[in-house]
Amino acid sequence: MAAAELLSQEFELGFTYTRSTGPVVGKFLTGLRDGKVYGVRGSDGRVLVPPAEYDPVTAAPLTDFVEVGQEGRLLSWCWVSEPREAHLLQQPFAWAMVQLDGADVPMIHCLEAPSAEAVTTGARVSISWADERQGFITDIRCFTLLQGAAS
Amino acid sequence: MAELAAVVGIGQTRYKTRRTDVSIAGLLREAVDRALADADVTFDDIDAVIIGKAPDMFEGVVMPESYLADALGAMGKPMLRVHTAGSVGGSTAIVAASHVQSGTFKRVLTVTFEKQSESNAMWALSTPQPFSVHLNAGAGGYFAPIIREYIRRSGAPGDIGIKVAVKDRRHGARNPLAHLQLPDITEQEVRDSMMLWDPLRFLEACPSSDGACAMVIAAEDSITGSKPPAWIRGVAMRSEPTMYAGREEVNPQAGRDCAADVYAQAGITNPRKDLDCAEIYVPFSWYEPMWLENLGFAPEGEGWKLTQEGATSLDAGGDIPWNCSGGVLCSNPIGASGMIRFAEAARQVRGDAGAHQVEGARLAMGHAYGGGAQFFAMWIVGADKG
Amino acid sequence: MREIAVVAYSQSPCVADAGATNEVELIMPQLQAVYSQLGLASAQDVDFVCSGSCDYLQGAAFAFVAGVDALGAVPPIKESHVEMDAAWALYEAILKIRMGHADSALIYGFGKSSPGELPIVLSQRLDPYYLAPLWLDTVSLAALQARLLLEQGLLTEHDMAAVVARSRHNALANPLAQLAGEFSVEELLAEEHFVAPLRRADCSPVSDGAAAMVIATVEQARAWGAPYARITGIDHRIENHNPCLRDLTDSVSTRQAAAAAGVHRGPVDVAEVYAPFSHQEILLSRALELAPETLVNPGGGVLAGNLMMASGLARVGEVFRRIINGEAGRGVAHATSGPCLQHNLVAVLEGA
Amino acid sequence: MSEPQADVTVVKSPVYLKYRFTAGSAPARFLGRLKEGVLTGQRCPRCSNVYIPARGSCPACGVPTEKEVVLSDKGTVQSFTIVSIPIPGNPIEPPYIVANIVPDGANISFIHLLSECVNEEVHIGQRVQALWKPAAEWGYSMDNIRYFRPLDEPDVAVDRIGKLPVTGLES
């Protein structure tokens, strides 16, 4: 019996999904499109950004929306020296856990920075909006460092 | 040896082609909130959460139970995700029941869903892969030849499928949650609908739906709610390979064995006589006569006679109504479809099935199948403990 | 409650790319191995079969259906599947035995992750509105966690490198490992960062393979006459999905599962901890409250080879092996699932 | 000022993943022979049934299959359906026939197209043969067979479908 040839071929598994947002995710994405950031107040009083649909402690539906700031503080980060093809930024960048002003928990998004050395935990960062906003999480293009304002 | 367990809460969404008003989590919560309310419990009373759905490609969320933990109030609890192809709704209910029947938990929440409108069912069920050796003509293309063989060997008249299609849609018109609402459907309309996969016409096939179904299952000492519990009298699952030499595709042995197992547990010797009604997974009309035989409601080759004489019709006053809720032919959120059968069987024996109630139902069967009619899950629920 | 024991276990080597080996071909040798440990002919000789796998690893819907072709399921068998690590298939099988619907069960898990880019595939496990569209890969997410631990002074990069050095060293004695060798902490720290603060060596490799196990009631285990280890406790708990809503410096669900499984009721000779990243082994060992004398991941753990969807089951299998070999009397196995240790399972095994 | 826009309720989310698929060794052997215009199956060492396309195991016995068997490109219609909707990604125009065909020498059917026939006259037990594409177009694909077409041979009794030797009806 002849040895089997190695049959190998690339393929793409993909679909452009149509996601209905429901009221909570919809509020947040509508806000992004309009250049605003909304969180929601949880059962323990914490402001959660992006807004959780259901309370992280009690699972109750959440509806008490709060607009929060567009600047915040870097709580943790990591440096991607070789971005993957799927990543939104193709230059070396950081993933950032950012607690926006007025929020009580951080959110994760990309952070554009010239180098890992420029990034420090505690740094002040600001939202950099996408040129065209459509109501999607990528309306936040990324975070950027605010100069000389470590807190 | 198994501990006694019962369904004490049932919640379903309205089934629709597209539920654009809710997120994925919101869709599940609609069913879950109704099930908790029906059982008169809150998340605090739930010990574990068991979730099921068909392939993740439908919504494009990998192992979505991770994301859904918060919405299902599972924090700090065990959570399990079942996936057994089309039978998953049924097997999820059985796995959930085992959490209680094993004596491990007092009360569990189980939920299944599909939000098929996020993608496209045809695509999600047969995503492209290189070097596939099988021609893919969709689910109908797979099952239609098996139906043709059934018709050949049973000699069933050609209109049996049409009768099932009309009967289940008329049943569905009694059920406000049903996706297809076709109260005035006629046999002529079904006959005139497009022949998709000969001998299956458009109106003989199930729709593609968004929806979720949830249940609360509790131990004998933890029954809640004001409605009577539906006691779980038997549970069974069977699997066999998709293809093997000599496989009986029309009347799969896995289905026959599964039924024999679940009947033995519930003390059923004559399903047509002993059961008051059944919710059986019939996604294509002809599967009613085929499953009537496979499940022992009729001798081999004679299932179609029950359909023909109206034995399975609530409207015709049949002695063994099948799919009073309208069945899969009216609503088909794939991952939930099996659990809907199990839940609707429970609704019947709780006397809580509304306009599609079978009067005085005491013992009912829920059934689900999947893959190439190779995975089976069944349960029997009763108004009595047994 | 019925006493249940692990009676047979086998795992394939961890390989970076199983190449021309499909699911059936991956699974079958492991099934044959556990059958031969017990003198069974096929899955017909157990009462229940449960498997764990994930369609998205290789990008094909219903991958597990093909797995059934490896079982010899004619006549039909009692069988189920979880879209989770097979450690949760084990959990389902235990419930089935406890309720008296089975006296024995075959459990298997398999994963062929090499066809895809696993950290990116798993990014789509994050919530579909806020995080998945960012393609936040699992390595980056773990790196965010590692920095929190580092900057709060809960561990050092030296500690992390020490975990890696021990894993590579231990793996030298593990013929199934993918990565093994003698490395000093200094050598490891001299490597460049991959996703800082993580180095490549801090991350488990992507491996293809399968694992299989047979469990049974203690009565059945004795009837088979094979050495066995009793499962004296098992529990699993899940936490919030969004990693930002959890304390990433601890694993609350591991603590809950460990307490419920009875980890602290006796000394722990060996612990197999499913830590895909070096810092997580330290974090999890603390959450499990392991004593300094407990042997942790003596075969190298998943840092030496990570069979996605089977590694959790493999942790249980490894503890079983140590116990029946007489190397340990009581051991703890841990499995994890979900982003950044969202969901954790803990099992306690003890000698017969 | 532009009109205030409606709230966001639906978003489009592209989820595209790249994979490199490698066929298993049994399917690869099958496809390799198919590229040479030969249909092959594998015989189970335990139950002796011949499987096409081989997946590497006998699904009934759960044991590896290794013995390759050359099959005929003649076969029998086990069942079929006339399809009126297109197959995604396939140029064939409805209505067309999809048939479960057992090649002579095998004990299991596969699904393929049936053509050059009157749709209404196709029947279970009918004899058919593969129409191959020109050899220059053969690849690692069942598409090497354009379709099956009726053979002028007597029908196979239903209880013999799936049991014919590789020599077909002649034996």
Side-chain angles (χ1 to χ4, degrees):
Chain A
M1 196 186 312
E5 293 171 69
L6 193 66
L7 295 185
S8 198
Q9 189 177 307
E10 287 186 2
F11 76 103
E12 189 173 56
L13 176 70
F15 202 89
T16 299
Y17 289 86
T18 303
R19 303 221 183 280
S20 47
T21 60
V24 176
V25 177
K27 172 82 178 178
F28 177 71
L29 296 181
T30 302
L32 293 187
R33 185 197 62 198
D34 299 341
K36 296 176 177 175
V37 182
Y38 289 101
V40 73
R41 198 175 296 280
S43 62
D44 52 7
R46 288 187 301 171
V47 173
L48 315 171
V49 182
E53 291 186 83
Y54 300 97
D55 189 82
V57 182
T58 67
L62 297 177
T63 52
D64 184 8
F65 295 104
V66 182
E67 189 180 347
V68 298
Q70 301 189 6
E71 296 179 3
R73 199 168 68 89
L74 193 56
L75 298 195
S76 185
W77 56 281
C78 64
W79 187 253
V80 182
S81 49
E82 293 170 42
R84 295 171 184 267
E85 198 182 329
H87 286 156
L88 302 176
L89 299 179
Q90 288 298 303
Q91 295 294 319
F93 71 98
W95 286 105
M97 287 176 77
V98 173
Q99 188 163 324
L100 290 173
D101 298 338
D104 294 299
V105 298
M107 64 177 284
I108 301 177
H109 211 300
C110 309
L111 170 68
E112 198 174 56
S115 69
E117 288 67 36
V119 186
T120 49
T121 302
R124 294 286 298 168
V125 301
S126 169
I127 288 175
S128 166
W129 294 101
D131 293 339
E132 284 187 34
R133 299 197 303 265
Q134 49 175 347
F136 201 58
I137 188 66
T138 49
D139 287 357
I140 297 177
R141 188 180 67 84
C142 62
F143 288 104
T144 52
L145 292 165
L146 282 171
Q147 292 308 315
S151 59
Chain B
M1 195 177 326
E3 303 282 331
L4 205 50
V7 179
V8 296
I10 296 170
Q12 302 180 59
T13 61
R14 167 86 163 86
Y15 304 110
K16 282 180 73 174
T17 305
R18 280 188 181 77
R19 281 296 305 269
T20 53
D21 57 325
V22 286
S23 65
I24 298 171
L27 184 74
L28 275 87
R29 269 303 279 271
E30 195 172 305
V32 165
D33 285 343
R34 289 173 182 174
L36 294 174
D38 193 39
D40 195 21
V41 296
T42 69
F43 283 118
D44 292 342
D45 303 306
I46 298 296
D47 300 330
V49 180
I50 299 89
I51 179 170
K53 73 178 299 298
D56 294 353
M57 282 93 191
F58 269 116
E59 295 83 9
V61 184
V62 176
M63 296 180 270
E65 64 280 4
S66 294
Y67 140 68
L68 291 164
D70 299 44
L72 301 180
M75 294 77 78
K77 298 171 187 171
M79 186 173 186
L80 200 73
R81 156 77 190 286
V82 181
H83 178 14
T84 62
S87 66
V88 64
S91 33
T92 304
I94 289 176
V95 173
S98 75
H99 281 69
V100 177
Q101 292 170 308
S102 62
T104 311
F105 300 98
K106 289 299 182 190
R107 197 181 288 109
V108 300
L109 170 68
T110 183
V111 59
T112 52
F113 76 102
E114 214 70 71
K115 200 157 183 295
Q116 296 185 203
S117 67
E118 303 239 332
S119 67
N120 169 299
M122 277 282 269
W123 174 83
L125 290 174
S126 57
T127 53
Q129 214 174 18
F131 309 118
S132 56
V133 285
H134 285 289
L135 183 76
N136 188 347
Y142 181 86
F143 289 111
I146 300 173
I147 290 168
R148 177 178 303 278
E149 168 61 11
Y150 169 73
I151 295 172
R152 186 200 64 77
R153 48 167 105 159
S154 68
D159 65 347
I160 295 297
I162 294 171
K163 287 186 188 305
V164 175
V166 169
K167 186 243 336 171
D168 280 0
R169 270 47 175 272
R170 294 237 173 105
H171 284 173
R174 295 163 172 259
N175 175 6
L177 299 175
H179 174 176
L180 298 184
Q181 293 289 336
L182 303 168
D184 303 319
I185 190 170
T186 63
E187 290 191 18
Q188 193 58 44
E189 263 178 83
V190 179
R191 189 172 285 112
D192 292 346
S193 68
M194 187 179 172
M195 187 65 89
L196 298 181
W197 304 280
D198 194 339
L200 280 174
R201 296 171 180 82
F202 175 72
L203 282 173
E204 291 180 88
C206 55
S208 172
S209 318
D210 284 355
C213 177
M215 292 192 285
V216 176
I217 296 175
E220 190 178 11
D221 62 3
S222 302
I223 301 298
T224 56
S226 53
K227 292 175 196 163
W231 297 99
I232 299 168
R233 302 277 301 275
V235 292
M237 288 166 69
R238 285 294 185 285
S239 306
E240 67 183 33
T242 317
M243 305 180 109
Y244 61 91
R247 176 167 186 238
E248 175 50 82
E249 289 182 298
V250 172
N251 189 0
Q253 191 185 344
R256 278 180 280 144
D257 291 1
C258 192
D261 185 354
V262 81
Y263 294 157
Q265 292 172 44
I268 290 170
T269 52
N270 179 339
R272 180 171 177 183
K273 200 164 133 280
D274 297 343
L275 289 163
D276 296 305
C277 56
E279 283 280 339
I280 308 296
Y281 204 103
V282 177
F284 301 108
S285 60
W286 280 94
Y287 267 87
E288 172 168 304
M290 289 163 67
W291 291 150
L292 278 165
E293 296 170 27
N294 186 247
L295 300 173
F297 287 73
E300 197 160 350
E302 296 184 19
W304 58 271
K305 292 179 183 167
L306 270 66
T307 301
Q308 193 174 49
E309 68 198 32
T312 56
S313 165
L314 190 58
D315 296 300
D319 64 286
I320 182 65
W322 269 32
N323 295 325
C324 300
S325 66
V328 182
L329 282 172
C330 284
S331 315
N332 187 31
I334 294 182
S337 288
M339 186 171 283
I340 299 169
R341 309 278 71 72
F342 279 47
E344 284 290 343
R347 287 182 72 189
Q348 290 288 348
V349 301
R350 300 176 88 198
D352 190 39
H356 61 281
Q357 177 70 45
V358 174
E359 207 177 319
R362 307 289 294 174
L363 202 61
M365 177 174 188
H367 162 281
Y369 84 90
Q374 64 188 113
F375 301 116
F376 292 85
M378 304 177 196
W379 82 2
I380 305 284
V381 282
D384 307 306
K385 291 181 184 176
Chain C
M1 219 170 260
R2 310 178 88 192
E3 212 173 13
I4 298 168
V6 181
V7 286
Y9 171 71
S10 179
Q11 185 211 300
S12 69
C14 295
V15 296
D17 184 352
T21 310
N22 64 21
E23 310 91 337
V24 172
E25 293 161 344
L26 275 181
I27 297 162
M28 247 186 319
Q30 305 321 312
L31 299 186
Q32 298 299 335
V34 292
Y35 298 157
S36 72
Q37 288 172 31
L38 297 169
L40 310 182
S42 74
Q44 297 289 340
D45 294 337
V46 295
D47 298 332
F48 181 64
V49 178
C50 199
S51 61
S53 69
C54 172
D55 284 350
Y56 260 107
L57 292 193
Q58 60 185 98
F62 303 113
F64 68 92
V65 175
V68 175
D69 285 355
L71 298 173
V74 178
I77 57 172
K78 298 176 186 173
E79 187 261 352
S80 187
H81 173 263
V82 294
E83 195 83 353
M84 304 181 81
D85 186 287
W88 279 267
L90 167 67
Y91 189 84
E92 181 179 333
I94 286 174
L95 297 179
K96 198 66 106 186
I97 295 179
R98 280 184 187 164
M99 71 185 273
H101 275 212
D103 290 333
S104 58
L106 168 69
I107 300 114
Y108 64 93
F110 63 97
K112 198 173 169 186
S113 303
S114 60
E117 186 182 357
L118 188 62
I120 286 295
V121 170
L122 293 177
S123 75
Q124 299 308 296
R125 191 178 192 171
L126 295 162
D127 90 77
Y129 314 102
Y130 301 150
L131 286 175
L134 300 178
W135 301 92
L136 171 56
D137 59 278
T138 43
V139 175
S140 297
L141 199 49
L144 289 171
Q145 179 184 38
R147 186 176 302 279
L148 286 170
L149 288 156
L150 288 165
E151 295 190 347
Q152 291 181 30
L154 296 168
L155 46 73
T156 64
E157 291 192 43
H158 188 280
D159 296 334
M160 289 162 62
V163 168
V164 176
R166 180 165 43 77
S167 163
R168 295 284 194 275
H169 168 80
N170 287 348
L172 286 169
N174 178 359
L176 306 177
Q178 188 173 334
L179 301 175
E182 293 293 355
F183 297 92
S184 70
V185 167
E186 290 66 33
E187 279 176 280
L188 290 166
L189 288 175
E191 294 290 318
E192 276 182 25
H193 282 118
F194 173 37
V195 178
L198 296 181
R199 295 173 172 81
R200 274 185 200 276
D202 291 310
C203 313
S204 58
V206 175
S207 316
D208 291 346
M213 175 181 287
V214 176
I215 62 169
T217 60
V218 164
E219 294 73 26
Q220 178 64 63
R222 288 195 190 118
W224 275 329
Y228 62 88
R230 294 173 299 133
I231 303 171
T232 57
I234 185 165
D235 194 276
H236 67 102
R237 303 297 169 106
I238 198 165
E239 295 178 58
N240 293 120
H241 175 68
N242 184 346
C244 293
L245 298 180
R246 285 186 250 142
D247 177 2
L248 292 180
T249 65
D250 195 2
S251 178
V252 173
S253 53
T254 299
R255 290 182 189 278
Q256 290 168 329
V263 167
H264 316 305
R265 279 184 215 134
V268 179
D269 301 325
V270 63
E272 283 284 347
V273 177
Y274 189 167
F277 300 93
S278 60
H279 64 276
Q280 293 178 342
E281 184 179 304
I282 299 168
L283 186 160
L284 288 164
S285 297
R286 289 174 186 163
L288 289 165
E289 297 176 29
L290 299 176
E293 55 273 21
T294 300
L295 213 52
V296 178
N297 293 339
V302 298
L303 286 174
N306 185 13
L307 301 175
M308 196 67 201
M309 313 317 286
S311 273
L313 182 69
R315 306 279 65 71
V316 182
E318 286 298 313
V319 173
F320 160 75
R321 285 199 320 104
R322 302 274 165 195
I323 290 176
I324 62 165
N325 289 347
E327 296 167 45
R330 186 171 186 271
V332 168
H334 160 268
T336 196
S337 174
C340 251
L341 308 175
Q342 181 192 4
H343 190 180
N344 295 283
L345 177 146
V346 177
V348 180
L349 276 73
E350 296 183 36
Chain D
M1 288 289 283
S2 58
E3 291 284 308
Q5 292 172 274
D7 285 352
V8 174
T9 57
V10 172
V11 297
K12 292 285 183 191
S13 191
V15 180
Y16 290 82
L17 292 161
K18 293 200 173 87
Y19 294 88
R20 169 166 282 281
F21 177 82
T22 304
S25 56
R29 277 208 299 273
F30 170 77
L31 292 164
R33 295 304 302 273
L34 193 59
K35 191 166 186 285
E36 300 161 357
V38 181
L39 284 177
T40 56
Q42 285 187 353
R43 188 185 301 280
C44 172
R46 199 175 284 182
C47 68
S48 300
N49 282 307
V50 174
Y51 283 90
I52 172 173
R55 291 187 36 82
S57 75
C58 169
C61 302
V63 296
T65 54
E66 276 155 15
K67 190 172 164 25
E68 190 174 287
V69 180
V70 173
L71 305 172
S72 171
D73 69 352
K74 293 181 183 177
T76 309
V77 174
Q78 189 179 53
S79 194
F80 66 97
T81 177
I82 306 166
V83 185
S84 306
I85 49 174
I87 301 176
N90 192 309
I92 187 161
E93 286 193 22
Y96 53 90
I97 295 191
V98 170
N100 301 53
I101 293 162
V102 194
D104 296 344
N107 301 108
I108 196 156
S109 67
F110 56 77
I111 295 173
H112 215 298
L113 299 170
L114 187 54
S115 195
E116 287 188 41
C117 54
V118 181
N119 286 359
E120 288 67 33
E121 291 175 4
V122 173
H123 53 274
I124 292 170
Q126 189 168 12
R127 295 286 292 159
V128 295
Q129 183 167 19
L131 176 76
W132 295 79
K133 285 181 181 171
E137 295 176 28
W138 289 346
Y140 298 102
S141 168
M142 276 302 261
D143 294 345
N144 293 354
I145 295 175
R146 206 183 291 282
Y147 51 76
F148 282 77
R149 56 183 172 176
L151 262 182
D152 188 18
E153 284 186 10
D155 289 350
V156 176
V158 170
D159 59 2
R160 290 210 66 212
I161 298 173
K163 294 173 186 163
L164 293 190
V166 69
T167 47
L169 288 175
E170 289 147 25
S171 58

